[in-house]
Amino acid sequence: MQVAAGAGGRAGRDNITPVRSTPSASPLVAMIGGGQLARMTHQAAIALGQTLRVLAVSPDESAAQVTPDVVIGAHTDLDALRRAAAGADALTFDHEHVPTELLEKLVAEGVTVHPPPQALVHAQDKLVMRRRLAELGAPVPAFAEAVEIADVDAFAARVDGPIVVKTARGGYDGKGVTLARDLAEARDAVGRYLADGVQVLLEERVAMRRELAALVARSPFGQGAAWPVVQTVQRDGICVEVLAPAPALDADLAREAAHLGLRVADDLGVVGVLAVELFETLDGAIVVNELAMRPHNSGHWTMDGARTSQFEQHLRAVLDFPLGDTAPIAPVTVMANVLGAAQQPAMSMDERMHHLFGRMPEAKVHLYGKGERAGRKLGHVNMLGHPHGSIDDETYVANVRERAVRAAHWLSHGEWTDGWDGGH
Ligand SMILES: Nc1ncnc2c1ncn2[C@@H]1O[C@H](COP(=O)(O)OP(=O)(O)O)[C@@H](O)[C@H]1O
Ligand SMILES: [Mg+2]
């Protein structure tokens, strides 16, 4: 923290003049991006006596709806970034799309950027990330840059199996990722991406048992904290479910994944939350898919299922506070995303929620204040297992999972997956 208010506030018991007598004396974090991650970070800021300032593109964005301190502007506009940063103790992110050059200018002007641009680039550019992790000895799939279509053939000969084509930058929720069925489709994808003028990455398609995520946080002081490693379930490139902790995960592999997360955070100098998306291979190893340096979909379960949520932890980390306890509250917590249905239900969301609460009082709902559109992330539901269950009990886990999915599906579609008719 750069300001005297922080240090003085702690040491100031004997002072006659209270150092934090005005609200503005509490630490101020500015977050670039006004999406749901900023909205939920603001929620955590309130409990800490803070207000999150957000840079949003428009006043109706998720986070702009709820925080009084909104700067309207684009994350690619240096002046807007400067306005967001003015007087903030730390500048951080709800997405990773701010150009490195702009962040470096802010740093040169004295802004505390967390995570710093030289760390963040590993969450922005999959090619930079792959090269650096390979250098660090972290497990990664075979990869290569494609600068021309013919590179596909050379790479295919090397990996002898299906290929994934990705844009190095700008992808999210599966956009900019092609799981090619054959060489022709891989060549075609490379051609299309290159024609857009972006860098292209080829990867072996990992034969996997499932996807995992290791979520950790690191503070500038160097403290690290890891939540239990989770299983993530993706549909059409979008995370739809998270099981925390990952059921039936080998204890050694879980330790290895958590250590990997903490080590990557240290080696790259990450400040804040780091999500390491992982694949568990068929032969029982882990490889890194990609990195995110912000609160992440794989950590939404922590809002209700862990002693410290990822949003609070992110604030603590970027303000260099001691980190919070990451212990889970229940033997299993399942998060299910509420995605916009293809056909918006006739019943309003408000009414759907009313029915949900009537039937499932244990469902913890988080809505993002977004309009309903097909496939859009509108919110999520967290469901905690009862305290006496065990993550090793398949029936228990399946029951919690079924309830989380049933609740989220109801909010999306206005239909009960088990055919319940409301008791009529
Ligand atoms: N090398 C790979 N092998 C197998 N599946 C992959 C590979 N890379 C990506 N995928 C699948 O595509 C999804 C999206 O890829 P990812 O690189 O994480 O893109 P995004 O930036 O959209 O999250 C992954 O979650 C995984 O399901
Ligand atoms: Mg991903």
Side-chain angles (χ1 to χ4, degrees):
M1 268 195 301
Q2 62 181 25
V3 284
R10 274 180 210 142
R13 292 225 168 83
D14 303 328
N15 289 356
I16 296 161
T17 318
V19 178
R20 288 191 185 173
S21 57
T22 61
S24 62
S26 63
L28 176 65
V29 174
M31 188 171 259
I32 304 307
Q36 64 261 25
L37 301 175
R39 180 184 174 103
M40 292 183 276
T41 306
H42 178 244
Q43 210 174 325
I46 294 169
L48 302 180
Q50 303 169 15
T51 298
L52 188 74
R53 176 184 296 161
V54 302
L55 177 67
V57 178
S58 85
D60 58 6
E61 273 192 278
S62 272
Q65 294 168 15
V66 297
T67 177
D69 195 354
V70 183
V71 176
I72 299 296
H75 62 267
T76 48
D77 173 356
L78 182 59
D79 279 334
L81 292 168
R82 282 188 180 126
R83 274 185 285 133
D89 295 274
L91 180 95
T92 189
F93 309 96
D94 138 302
H95 60 68
E96 39 264 327
H97 304 313
V98 183
T100 306
E101 316 81 77
L102 299 187
L103 293 176
E104 279 169 352
K105 282 208 175 92
L106 294 178
V107 171
E109 291 168 11
V111 177
T112 302
V113 176
H114 285 329
Q118 67 273 20
L120 186 65
V121 68
H122 301 93
Q124 296 176 312
D125 187 315
K126 290 174 181 171
L127 202 50
V128 171
M129 175 271 293
R130 285 266 176 264
R131 287 180 174 141
R132 183 71 186 279
L133 290 186
E135 246 172 56
L136 293 172
V140 292
F143 71 97
E145 183 179 3
V147 294
E148 55 180 3
I149 294 175
D151 289 338
V152 171
D153 302 85
F155 186 72
R158 200 177 113 202
V159 300
D160 189 27
I163 293 179
V164 181
V165 185
K166 296 183 179 182
T167 58
R169 284 176 175 263
Y172 67 98
D173 283 351
K175 294 177 183 64
V177 174
T178 301
L179 304 181
R181 277 183 304 266
D182 51 29
L183 273 185
E185 194 183 352
R187 279 197 213 99
D188 180 66
V190 170
R192 269 187 296 116
Y193 293 154
L194 286 175
D196 290 340
V198 296
Q199 275 191 300
V200 177
L201 172 69
L202 304 172
E203 289 179 6
E204 67 173 304
R205 179 145 168 192
V206 176
M208 66 178 96
R209 186 174 292 164
R210 57 179 168 173
E211 301 194 34
L212 304 172
L215 196 74
V216 303
R218 181 177 175 276
S219 70
F221 180 72
Q223 191 186 2
W227 285 272
V229 173
V230 301
Q231 176 176 348
T232 66
V233 181
Q234 339 277 324
R235 203 181 309 126
D236 304 326
I238 300 179
C239 176
V240 290
E241 254 181 273
V242 172
L243 285 71
L249 181 62
D250 175 77
D252 288 337
L253 206 59
R255 250 191 309 276
E256 187 188 327
H259 282 150
L260 177 66
L262 291 167
R263 185 161 74 85
V264 168
D266 255 343
D267 287 348
L268 301 184
V270 177
V271 173
V273 168
L274 167 73
V276 182
E277 295 182 5
L278 299 163
F279 299 142
E280 183 181 355
T281 63
L282 289 180
D283 45 12
I286 46 169
V287 293
V288 176
N289 176 32
E290 63 163 345
L291 308 179
M293 294 180 196
R294 48 168 171 78
H296 188 251
N297 207 146
S298 66
H300 288 349
W301 70 275
T302 60
M303 294 177 86
D304 301 294
R307 300 266 174 222
T308 307
S309 83
Q310 62 165 348
F311 300 102
E312 177 177 339
Q313 197 79 304
H314 190 74
L315 287 169
R316 289 192 191 214
V318 302
L319 289 167
D320 210 6
F321 281 21
L323 299 180
D325 183 355
T326 52
I329 289 168
V332 71
T333 299
V334 178
M335 188 279 329
N337 274 120
V338 179
L339 300 177
Q343 178 90 52
Q344 191 178 328
M347 190 188 286
S348 72
M349 181 62 91
D350 189 44
E351 208 178 333
R352 275 172 263 159
M353 199 138 74
H354 196 107
H355 284 278
L356 173 68
F357 290 158
R359 187 177 183 200
M360 307 180 86
E362 75 280 25
K364 303 304 291 181
V365 174
H366 302 272
L367 292 182
Y368 308 154
K370 288 154 80 170
E372 292 185 59
R373 252 199 341 248
R376 197 178 197 200
K377 280 179 189 163
L378 305 176
H380 66 270
V381 176
N382 284 334
M383 192 70 71
L384 275 68
H386 70 70
H388 306 299
S390 159
I391 188 66
D392 299 323
D393 177 347
E394 278 180 37
T395 313
Y396 166 80
V397 173
N399 172 276
V400 181
R401 191 171 175 183
E402 186 277 325
R403 284 187 289 128
V405 170
R406 187 184 346 141
H409 187 94
W410 167 258
L411 289 179
S412 296
H413 299 270
E415 286 163 10
W416 291 112
T417 46
D418 59 352
W420 194 62
D421 68 355
H424 298 302

